[in-house]
Amino acid sequence: MKDQVAFLRWLQKNIASFGGNPNDVTIYGNSAGSRSADLLMISKASSGLFKKMIGDSGGSLSAQTVQVNPLQNAKLFAEMLKFDDVDDINALENFYLNASYEVLTSIDTTLLKDYLFTPCVERDVGDEVVLDKSPFEILKSGEYAQVPMLYGFTEMEGTYRLPIFQDWKEEMNRNFSAFLPVDLQFPSENEREETTTNVVEYYLGKDKISEENILLFVNYFTDTMYVHPMLRAIQLHLEAGHKNIYSYEYSFTSAESAKIDYTDIPATSHSSQTTMFFDSENEHEGSDEYKEMKRIIREMYTNFAIFGEPCPHGNSLPHWPSITKENMQIMSLNQTLEMKPLQHRATFWDDVYAKYYKNPSIPTVSV
């Protein structure tokens, strides 16, 4: 995050040399990049360094964006690396300062990278702070630069977890409680189990996770990792008075779309809208509807970068108003483009987070 802030400062000083306007910078991010862009938007360190933000498939309130308990994570990772004096904070610091590259990379952290190696709320130790409060607290306070936002998710974001489906499916059926979002904290085991029961009933009914109903697995991670955190952020933005948020759900599929594992269902997979935005080797190949969606996405994003809205008046695309508390609608990007009421399966989590959300906090230690 600090490198990204440094780059944005470099951009302010140098963009004019490349024909750019330092007073009209738009930042864009996808997946982890979208989380980064979302954090930059609410950080005091990057305030004033850009004028608009586009975030695809990732947001600041995801449990994977900011560590809930960074000190505990530091201890956990050190123990995994066979260091056992983790309760002595000075010894723990020494261990990390002196551990070799070989030691630090000696174990597979594929399943842990979303939690152990993400930003945290910082203590002020004399260096610049990117996050002095949690994203939730910053959004709640409204004390951030409310730049125009283009903020969206795909219908099947949970495909991100498909590579580990076989590793997780039986354990989820045995102990679903272990797969609840890590930013939930329950005052008792009874409340945790009661919540788990409600979640399982909502997503699985009487089914088990299996190859035959793998879409239920996808739906669960779509909502918990991506859609609910983004919808929750939108709600907080609106409560803080933000008036320039454009949101969408991308559900377009075509002959080019990959199929969900074990099914014939075409996937609007995690970050699939990004493949429309960027160039590719087969840029001029594909079905007509695929090419048309590429054109539409590029026009919307370009419009937003220029005008601060994806479909300005007089444009050939459908009118796309900003989302407001009075008009909770988002754009549906499918074979047809239309505004739809913001009614999503993921709002199930609103009540759960209202009761059990564990807000990321500054790591404190007694030395």
Side-chain angles (χ1 to χ4, degrees):
M1 294 305 304
K2 293 174 191 279
D3 287 344
Q4 291 173 33
V5 172
F7 168 72
L8 288 171
R9 288 182 178 144
W10 183 94
L11 198 66
Q12 284 294 306
K13 294 177 182 177
N14 294 281
I15 192 172
S17 300
F18 299 90
N21 179 358
N23 296 313
D24 196 18
V25 173
T26 299
I27 61 171
Y28 168 85
N30 166 259
S31 192
S34 182
R35 295 172 187 163
S36 291
D38 215 10
L39 291 177
L40 289 168
M41 190 184 69
I42 61 176
S43 171
K44 293 176 183 175
S46 50
S47 180
L49 298 179
F50 55 89
K51 292 293 189 286
K52 309 177 195 81
M53 187 277 280
I54 302 174
D56 287 347
S57 300
S60 62
L61 292 186
S62 168
Q64 290 74 39
T65 301
V66 174
Q67 296 182 55
V68 175
N69 192 336
L71 183 57
Q72 187 57 41
N73 285 345
K75 292 179 179 182
L76 171 63
F77 188 52
E79 287 174 336
M80 293 168 68
L81 297 173
K82 310 303 183 189
F83 178 75
D84 56 11
D85 195 11
V86 296
D87 291 323
D88 182 330
I89 191 65
N90 293 315
L92 184 64
E93 180 186 26
N94 247 357
F95 166 73
Y96 279 118
L97 287 173
N98 295 292
S100 67
Y101 174 83
E102 288 71 26
V103 168
L104 292 172
T105 59
S106 61
I107 56 176
D108 182 5
T109 58
T110 303
L111 300 182
L112 300 169
K113 64 182 174 63
D114 287 328
Y115 304 98
L116 291 183
F117 306 115
T118 55
C120 67
V121 183
E122 300 170 80
R123 286 185 297 132
D124 187 351
V125 293
D127 295 327
E128 182 175 62
V129 171
V130 174
L131 284 179
D132 60 348
K133 299 176 184 174
S134 74
F136 177 82
E137 290 175 312
I138 296 172
L139 291 176
K140 194 77 175 168
S141 73
E143 296 174 0
Y144 60 95
Q146 295 182 356
V147 302
M149 299 168 55
L150 179 56
Y151 203 50
F153 52 86
T154 71
E155 183 183 18
M156 300 178 184
E157 296 281 8
T159 52
Y160 175 81
R161 285 297 191 208
L162 285 179
I164 52 178
F165 172 74
Q166 289 297 339
D167 295 326
W168 281 12
K169 66 170 184 175
E170 295 304 331
E171 184 59 27
M172 288 184 75
N173 288 328
R174 274 194 304 270
N175 183 24
F176 201 99
S177 167
F179 295 86
L180 294 177
V182 297
D183 57 354
L184 295 176
Q185 180 172 283
F186 301 91
S188 70
E189 194 57 33
N190 282 344
E191 288 185 69
R192 184 181 189 89
E193 290 308 315
E194 181 182 345
T195 301
T196 302
T197 299
N198 293 337
V199 169
V200 170
E201 182 178 336
Y202 185 75
Y203 283 95
L204 305 182
K206 298 187 181 304
D207 293 329
K208 297 287 186 183
I209 293 174
S210 67
E211 288 79 0
E212 287 71 34
N213 58 24
I214 195 169
L215 201 54
L216 302 180
F217 176 91
V218 172
N219 289 347
Y220 177 73
F221 288 108
T222 293
D223 295 356
T224 55
M225 293 181 67
Y226 299 97
V227 178
H228 183 256
M230 296 182 82
L231 297 184
R232 187 167 173 241
I234 288 173
Q235 188 62 50
L236 288 169
H237 280 300
L238 294 175
E239 290 171 4
H242 201 312
K243 300 184 185 303
N244 292 291
I245 304 170
Y246 299 87
S247 188
Y248 68 83
E249 179 179 32
Y250 181 83
S251 51
F252 171 82
T253 60
S254 65
E256 290 76 13
S257 302
K259 301 289 198 299
I260 295 281
D261 295 353
Y262 310 107
T263 78
D264 290 323
I265 301 171
T268 46
S269 55
H270 173 57
S271 302
S272 56
Q273 75 276 54
T274 306
T275 63
M276 298 294 190
F277 183 55
F278 289 118
D279 294 338
S280 60
E281 291 181 4
N282 59 346
E283 181 69 14
H284 303 292
E285 300 174 7
S287 62
D288 289 344
E289 59 180 357
Y290 176 79
K291 292 177 184 176
E292 176 62 5
M293 182 52 74
K294 287 183 78 77
R295 184 195 69 77
I296 289 170
I297 289 285
R298 291 175 177 189
E299 185 171 348
M300 286 178 169
Y301 282 28
T302 303
N303 284 340
F304 184 80
I306 296 172
F307 304 110
E309 54 182 308
C311 301
H313 286 291
N315 191 271
S316 62
L317 298 170
H319 179 50
W320 183 351
S322 60
I323 190 169
T324 65
K325 286 192 285 187
E326 297 73 32
N327 185 25
M328 295 286 284
Q329 293 198 340
I330 65 174
M331 179 64 79
S332 170
L333 299 177
N334 205 322
Q335 265 67 16
T336 58
L337 311 181
E338 57 182 326
M339 297 300 295
K340 288 189 173 181
L342 183 49
Q343 297 170 341
H344 195 280
R345 179 185 62 233
T347 54
F348 162 85
W349 291 94
D350 287 348
D351 291 341
V352 178
Y353 270 79
K355 287 182 69 174
Y356 301 119
Y357 178 54
K358 170 63 175 172
N359 191 37
S361 56
I362 295 174
T364 55
V365 296
S366 298
V367 180

